[in-house]
Amino acid sequence: MSKTLLYGATKIDENNSAYAPIESLAAFQWKNRVFILFADRDNARSARQENQLLADRSALDERDMVVLKVSGGKVRALFGAADGLDGEAIRHDLERPEFGEFAAFLLGKDGTVKLKLSEPITNGELFAIIDSMPMRAEMLKSDK
């Protein structure tokens, strides 16, 4: 089951066991949340999303995030460490649409897709979604 959040975004129901961890990104499971940005060609939406995310590096760090940019078959870490990843495998595992279109995905620490985007999302909206996730909410509660 999924819920439409805002134009171009779908939040995946994290309690639905039908969603399996993304195999090509298993190295991050239980350590990081991963935001994958597909940035084929000169896409203004992907550039806007990238710039927006990287403007708040401390918030990304606080949420244990890794930000990856997949362009063609190549993967580049925009934030955090990521070595030896296969862009084609990631594209296949996420059933990515055609080359040249904007798409982004958020994976939770459990390795499953939590959010699919066809339009850029603001940091405020993204961080609110992350902060509402069970693992993050529990961590915030224990910090009080």
Side-chain angles (χ1 to χ4, degrees), residues 2-11:
S2 63
K3 302 175 201 171
T4 300
L5 287 176
L6 38 115
Y7 177 74
T10 304
K11 184 176 179 189

Side-chain angles (χ1 to χ4, degrees), residues 99-120:
F99 284 92
E101 294 178 25
F102 174 88
F105 294 81
L106 173 66
L107 274 60
K109 284 189 173 183
D110 64 357
T112 64
V113 174
K114 302 299 184 188
L115 185 68
K116 296 179 184 181
L117 299 163
S118 59
E119 293 292 329

Side-chain angles (χ1 to χ4, degrees), residues 4-65:
T4 300
L5 287 176
L6 38 115
Y7 177 74
T10 304
K11 184 176 179 189
I12 306 302
D13 180 2
E14 57 267 7
N15 298 316
N16 187 337
S17 61
Y19 295 96
I22 301 300
E23 192 173 313
S24 56
L25 296 167
F28 300 105
Q29 192 172 9
W30 305 117
K31 294 182 254 177
N32 298 100
R33 292 174 185 90
V34 183
F35 188 89
I36 304 105
L37 175 64
F38 287 93
D40 299 319
R41 298 188 213 147
D42 294 326
N43 188 314
R45 291 182 296 169
S46 58
R48 186 170 76 228
Q49 183 70 76
E50 180 180 337
N51 291 334
Q52 193 168 308
L53 280 170
L54 297 178
D56 199 349
R57 292 173 184 265
S58 63
L60 294 172
D61 189 46
E62 180 183 321
R63 289 166 178 84
D64 299 324
M65 298 214 33

Side-chain angles (χ1 to χ4, degrees), residues 86-100:
D86 181 349
E88 290 300 327
I90 294 169
R91 186 179 293 277
H92 177 266
D93 287 350
L94 292 173
E95 300 173 4
R96 169 65 177 96
E98 296 298 315
F99 284 92

